[in-house]
């Protein structure tokens, strides 16, 4: 029988753990090629389907971090270890790790925008000799919204990591920064613009103003990479839900350099 890329397949949930009150990470049995920054379509029969970024992967598993935001994710939240979810994909073009090797790599994320680049950050944290310098800036709304706390603790040992929240609400136990990510970009010292590569992932407004800060510092648009979140229904450029002008985000993206990214306006 011909393999149809549009038919979801049943995958067993190997583990489940909460990140925040709204975000849960699922470790799902998975065999197949994956690339950082691509996405899978996750579904429950008779309920619905949604594109979910891959937050990590390895031999025999894929990690999906899902936020509770509607009918489908409400149902996914009822799934436990040993249950099954349906997946199809992967789809899209992700981040090419080779693009960032031997460079000064700067990664800036806002909220759940950390999920699509988590595996890339893990890679360069574990292989810090493959980058000349590694700066990470992670922004969240509040301390209770911080994702991947164990991973962040590990990254702090191998890279220059800044974690900031919009508001700590005078929380005495919060030891990191307070303020928007744009307030801390100046803390990253760039010696050679030709060696810099910047990744920015978050909400549209967060990406807009973060990219503007890097442009002010003279970073070329071709060296700034963004990831677009869209309603990607078919995943193969046929339904048109994610189409912006002549670009299908599900096929041509979701990762773009800013030369292309700045033209993608609804």
């Amino acid at each position: 029988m011909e393999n149809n890329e549009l038919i979801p397949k049943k995958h067993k949930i190997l583990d489940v753990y909460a990140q925040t009150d709204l975000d849960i990470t699922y470790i799902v049995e998975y065999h197949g090629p994956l690339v950082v920054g691509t996405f899978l379509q996750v579904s429950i029969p008779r309920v619905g389907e949604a594109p979910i970024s891959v937050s990590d992967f390895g031999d025999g598993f894929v990690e999906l971090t899902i936020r509770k935001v509607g009918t489908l994710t409400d149902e996914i939240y009822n799934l436990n270890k040993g249950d099954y979810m349906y997946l199809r994909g992967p789809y899209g073009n992700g981040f090419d790790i080779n693009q960032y090797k031997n460079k000064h790599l700067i990664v800036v994320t806002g909220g759940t925008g950390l999920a699509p680049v988590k595996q890339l950050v893990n890679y360069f944290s574990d292989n810090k000799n493959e980058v000349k310098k590694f700066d990470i800036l992670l922004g969240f709304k509040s301390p209770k919204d911080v994702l991947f706390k164990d991973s962040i603790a590990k990254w702090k040992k191998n890279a220059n990591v800044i974690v900031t929240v919009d508001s700590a609400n005078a929380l005495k136990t919060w030891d990191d920064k307070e303020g928007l990510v744009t307030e801390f970009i100046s803390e990253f010292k760039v010696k050679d613009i030709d060696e810099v590569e910047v990744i920015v992932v978050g909400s549209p407004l967060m990406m807009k103003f973060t990219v503007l800060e890097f442009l002010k510092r003279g970073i070329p648009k071709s060296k700034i990479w963004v990831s677009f979140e869209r309603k990607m229904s078919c995943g193969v450029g046929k339904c048109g839900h994610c189409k912006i002008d002549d670009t299908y985000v599900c096929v041509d993206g979701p990762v773009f350099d800013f030369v292309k990214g700045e033209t993608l306006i609804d």
Side-chain angles (χ1 to χ4, degrees), residues 117-173:
V117 294
K118 175 175 175 273
Q119 204 276 345
L120 180 144
V121 175
N122 275 335
Y123 178 86
F124 285 113
S125 174
D126 293 338
N127 300 277
K128 58 184 180 181
N129 60 310
E130 294 190 19
V131 283
K132 292 185 176 179
K133 190 177 180 183
F134 194 12
D135 291 319
I136 304 168
L137 175 54
L138 311 175
F140 301 95
K141 285 186 177 180
S142 72
K144 67 181 180 62
D145 296 305
V146 176
L147 301 173
F148 311 123
K149 293 182 179 71
D150 291 342
S151 295
I152 291 172
K154 183 187 73 172
W155 300 338
K156 285 183 175 181
K157 298 176 182 178
N158 298 318
N160 175 32
V161 181
I162 297 174
V163 182
T164 184
V165 296
D166 295 351
S167 174
N169 292 321
L171 188 66
K172 293 181 180 179
T173 57

Side-chain angles (χ1 to χ4, degrees), residues 226-246:
V226 294
S227 181
F228 277 66
E229 290 188 1
R230 300 283 291 178
K231 178 56 179 174
M232 297 178 280
S233 293
C234 72
V236 293
K238 300 299 182 183
C239 73
H241 280 83
C242 70
K243 188 171 182 285
I244 306 175
D245 294 329
D246 294 327

